Amino acid sequence: MRQADYIIAGQGLAGSCVALHLLMRNRRIIVLDDDYPQAASRVAAGLFNPVTGKMPALTWMADDLFTYAHEFYAKAEQLTGLSFFYPMPVYRPFISDEEQRLWLDKSRGPRFARFIQKVYTHPVFNDEVTNPYGGIELRQSGYVNTSAFLQAVRNLIIREGLFILERFDEGALKISAEEVIYQGYVARGIIICTGINTTGLFNFLPVSKLKGEVLLLRSNCRPKCIYNRGVYVVPGVWKAGATYNKHDSESGITAAARAELEAGLQKLIRYPYEIIGQDFGFRPVTPDRRPLLGRHPEYRNVYIFNGLGTKGVTLAPYFSAQLVDFIENDKTINQEADIKRYIFR
Ligand SMILES: Cc1cc2nc3c(=O)[nH]c(=O)nc-3n(C[C@H](O)[C@H](O)[C@H](O)COP(=O)(O)OP(=O)(O)OC[C@H]3O[C@@H](n4cnc5c(N)ncnc54)[C@H](O)[C@@H]3O)c2cc1C
């Protein structure tokens, strides 16, 4: 039997961040992933942006999450020796004088100060973006090339642990008080990070699928910002997105999503680009839009990390650290993210 400290099932953003934290602690890990091409982490545009929503507000825990994510991805680049983390301003054009005034007010308060680079009351970056009322330039934002990140982490796992390109079959898992046994492998614990494929052990958790589609672009431009209003365009990976459709659970791209994104792009972007493709995936979302992490109520050595929803890039680094600290050092998990909130007994 091959021994390890932990088995990780699933190597999307959730599993990759858990794996990195465990490798940083010199733990021996075995990671299984079936390389599903439509996994959210492979399709994602990789944007991280502290101000989101139709009525824009700072995202949940922005102060903690963004500082942590910057440090984490920079360290991950060092460890893997590869590049995938690109801090870059996000520019959000205003759509009215009223909105401009609102943001001028907000920018004077301490709450937003560290996330706002500048509020413009007149059009800027005119050859790149439509912004008749000016807009807001955000900092602490940017993108992660998620495919490159997953590959970099996989290389490290192969170098320092064991990677198995295979579907994890929960039926083959044997759990005892001291260890878990999976096929020829024995470990102290298992962490399940399989996104929308929630397994039977955790079927009491309310993870649902939120479909998203992105357009794949080509452009020779080097825009100054990630432009974001209705749609966003992430240069480098050249993805424009994303749609949110909770009523469509069918696999495949749709003409409706293409039309929606194309219309958004035409309104927003003024630099030349070409649409060369389209992709789709399903985000693992929870009813309260908070992640899911913690220990199985019956099996002490079985854990889950899931529910990253629309913001995996910023949630995964911070909450994977929290989960690993919980597993290894008995530290507490944020109550809003702990799976205990869905355990009623
Ligand atoms: C179109 C779209 C755009 C998005 N854009 C952004 C964005 O710009 N910024 C952002 O922060 N977030 C974005 N997201 C959300 C982000 O992708 C998710 O929050 C995140 O990827 C979820 O990661 P995960 O690891 O939990 O799940 P997944 O990405 O689904 O990863 C699960 C992994 O487990 C593997 N797996 C599943 N079942 C098994 C099994 N039984 N055995 C072995 N392996 C298994 C899969 O192959 C996969 O590799 C986007 C999502 C979509 C769909």
Side-chain angles (χ1 to χ4, degrees):
M1 268 287 164
R2 178 152 175 174
Q3 297 254 344
D5 293 306
Y6 299 100
I7 296 171
I8 300 171
Q11 196 229 321
L13 285 171
S16 296
C17 291
V18 170
L20 270 180
H21 281 296
L22 289 171
L23 289 175
M24 286 176 203
R25 290 173 182 240
N26 293 319
R27 297 295 175 260
R28 292 165 304 164
I29 57 171
I30 296 172
V31 181
L32 289 107
D33 190 279
D34 63 0
D35 249 355
Y36 175 53
Q38 299 312 131
S41 303
R42 294 191 181 87
V43 176
L47 175 67
F48 55 96
N49 175 8
V51 175
T52 56
K54 284 210 173 94
M55 294 293 290
L58 269 189
T59 67
W60 179 59
M61 292 185 60
D63 290 312
D64 296 324
L65 296 183
F66 282 76
T67 308
Y68 194 88
H70 277 259
E71 283 168 13
F72 174 84
Y73 287 115
K75 192 161 178 194
E77 284 195 330
Q78 265 176 21
L79 274 177
T80 59
L82 292 168
S83 303
F84 39 76
F85 175 55
Y86 303 94
M88 190 173 182
V90 164
Y91 184 75
R92 183 184 172 97
F94 298 135
I95 49 167
S96 64
D97 285 329
E98 198 189 340
E99 192 186 17
Q100 187 194 85
R101 278 195 299 276
L102 192 102
W103 277 103
L104 276 171
D105 273 358
K106 282 192 188 194
S107 67
R108 289 185 194 109
R111 188 73 199 94
F112 282 85
R114 57 179 287 215
F115 296 106
I116 296 180
Q117 181 67 30
K118 195 164 176 183
V119 176
Y120 294 92
T121 54
H122 54 275
V124 286
F125 314 132
N126 254 332
D127 49 339
E128 297 188 354
V129 66
T130 308
N131 66 137
Y133 301 93
I136 180 168
E137 185 181 338
L138 300 164
R139 58 182 169 203
Q140 300 240 3
S141 50
Y143 69 96
V144 170
N145 180 333
T146 54
S147 300
F149 171 66
L150 299 188
Q151 190 55 54
V153 176
R154 184 165 300 181
N155 296 347
L156 196 70
I157 297 167
I158 291 169
R159 221 160 51 225
E160 299 193 7
L162 179 63
F163 177 79
I164 304 171
L165 181 60
E166 193 174 288
R167 192 161 181 74
F168 166 68
D169 168 16
E170 197 181 86
L173 182 69
K174 295 189 178 61
I175 309 167
S176 72
E178 294 79 35
E179 59 193 22
V180 293
I181 300 176
Y182 184 73
Q183 296 172 348
Y185 307 101
V186 56
R188 282 200 269 149
I190 181 163
I191 304 149
I192 297 179
C193 309
T194 47
I196 56 164
N197 286 337
T198 42
T199 56
L201 276 166
F202 286 100
N203 64 6
F204 59 92
L205 292 174
V207 178
S208 55
K209 293 159 60 164
L210 175 59
K211 186 170 180 178
E213 296 185 51
V214 286
L215 295 180
L216 312 178
L217 309 185
R218 181 160 52 209
S219 174
N220 291 326
C221 296
R222 287 173 171 266
K224 294 174 195 72
C225 304
I226 296 169
Y227 296 110
N228 179 18
R229 183 86 216 197
V231 294
Y232 54 75
V233 181
V234 179
V237 294
W238 287 110
K239 291 186 184 179
T243 59
Y244 302 84
N245 191 341
K246 57 178 178 231
H247 304 294
D248 180 5
S249 56
E250 298 290 312
S251 287
I253 54 171
T254 62
R258 178 163 176 144
E260 179 188 327
L261 295 172
E262 252 190 276
L265 277 175
Q266 274 165 19
K267 267 200 218 155
L268 184 69
I269 299 297
R270 297 179 100 164
Y271 57 78
Y273 62 85
E274 194 189 333
I275 299 172
I276 56 168
Q278 190 173 341
D279 209 351
F280 75 96
F282 292 96
R283 309 165 178 97
V285 295
T286 56
D288 58 9
R289 299 288 183 262
R290 298 289 179 256
L292 287 169
L293 49 146
R295 169 182 277 145
H296 192 275
E298 216 168 303
Y299 304 111
R300 289 193 57 75
N301 41 16
V302 179
Y303 307 90
I304 188 166
F305 186 33
N306 206 317
L308 295 179
T310 58
K311 301 196 172 72
V313 170
T314 36
L315 292 171
Y318 182 91
F319 282 104
S320 57
Q322 208 167 83
L323 179 63
V324 168
D325 245 359
F326 167 75
I327 297 172
E328 290 249 303
N329 306 106
D330 222 10
K331 295 266 176 69
T332 48
I333 293 176
N334 180 323
Q335 283 179 6
E336 283 186 78
D338 197 321
I339 61 166
K340 279 187 189 156
R341 71 192 190 278
Y342 291 115
I343 300 173
F344 309 102
R345 44 170 71 188

